[in-house]
Amino acid sequence: SPVCFFLGAGFMLIETKGITELALVYGSTWLVVSIVIAFVLIMAFLANLLIIRKTPIRISWIYLLIFLSVSLGYIFTLFDHSGLSSAAQKIIVPAILTVPLFFSGLAFSKQLSIEKSVSIALSSNILGAIFGGLLEYNSMYLGFRSLYIFGFFMYLFAYFSIKNNYKVA
């Protein structure tokens, strides 16, 4: 499933960016990783809950929100947000960094609900996450901000894969 592959790659890139960005706010400790993972799990739970409850949401809107939230995260990294209070940073930064993961979770859950083979979809997603991890190494040369650009293109490829395979609802 090319859609699930690219969703996995994009997810891994944005999650890694979240961990590195939060290290600037919270310090580079186990606390950072646990906060990011907690936010990721919360976002995944909420996304799955919306799909399970059959909330009517068009896949094109989900991808639009992914693109907007990833772009917002990229733009947010261009500015110095050290002027924010410590409390504001500890709320705003994790929210901005994990909102794309919420919409990605929505896209994956929606895709999973229409896939013919769940095992192929899940294995494609894991393979995509591995590919995202390989792309992550480019951040050593291009900088961590580049993860947003790579993630954006992975989500764009996922969207085009949907458009090629299914009628976008």
Side-chain angles (χ1 to χ4, degrees):
S1 171
V3 177
C4 294
F5 175 85
F6 290 122
L7 285 172
F11 188 90
M12 178 59 77
L13 291 164
I14 300 302
E15 180 184 25
T16 302
K17 178 59 179 145
I19 291 172
T20 57
E21 190 75 19
L22 282 178
L24 297 173
V25 175
Y26 291 101
S28 189
T29 64
W30 62 269
L31 182 64
V32 173
V33 176
S34 63
I35 289 170
V36 172
I37 290 172
F39 270 91
V40 166
L41 291 173
I42 290 167
M43 294 299 176
F45 173 75
L46 293 174
N48 284 323
L49 191 63
L50 285 175
I51 298 301
I52 288 169
R53 293 189 176 191
K54 304 213 185 285
T55 305
I57 184 164
R58 294 171 55 98
I59 194 76
S60 55
W61 281 99
I62 294 172
Y63 277 93
L64 175 65
L65 293 170
I66 289 173
F67 298 137
L68 290 174
S69 61
V70 169
S71 299
L72 173 68
Y74 179 80
I75 291 168
F76 184 73
T77 63
L78 296 176
F79 298 103
D80 180 23
H81 46 78
S82 62
L84 295 172
S85 71
S86 178
Q89 279 188 357
K90 290 180 179 180
I91 294 170
I92 293 171
V93 174
I96 288 175
L97 295 174
T98 57
V99 164
L101 300 176
F102 169 72
F103 297 125
S104 176
L106 270 178
F108 181 71
S109 295
K110 185 103 170 165
Q111 185 65 32
L112 199 57
S113 71
I114 61 172
E115 283 287 331
K116 292 176 184 154
S117 172
V118 173
S119 61
I120 290 175
L122 292 175
S123 59
S124 297
N125 191 254
I126 291 170
L127 188 60
I130 293 169
F131 179 69
L134 292 173
L135 284 177
E136 175 189 327
Y137 281 105
N138 290 306
S139 68
M140 293 182 190
Y141 179 72
L142 300 171
F144 281 109
R145 192 175 293 138
S146 68
L147 295 179
Y148 278 121
I149 296 167
F150 286 125
F152 186 90
F153 280 105
M154 292 300 106
Y155 289 128
L156 193 63
F157 294 152
Y159 181 67
F160 286 137
S161 296
I162 287 174
K163 288 190 68 115
N164 289 335
N165 293 329
Y166 307 103
K167 179 180 181 278
V168 177

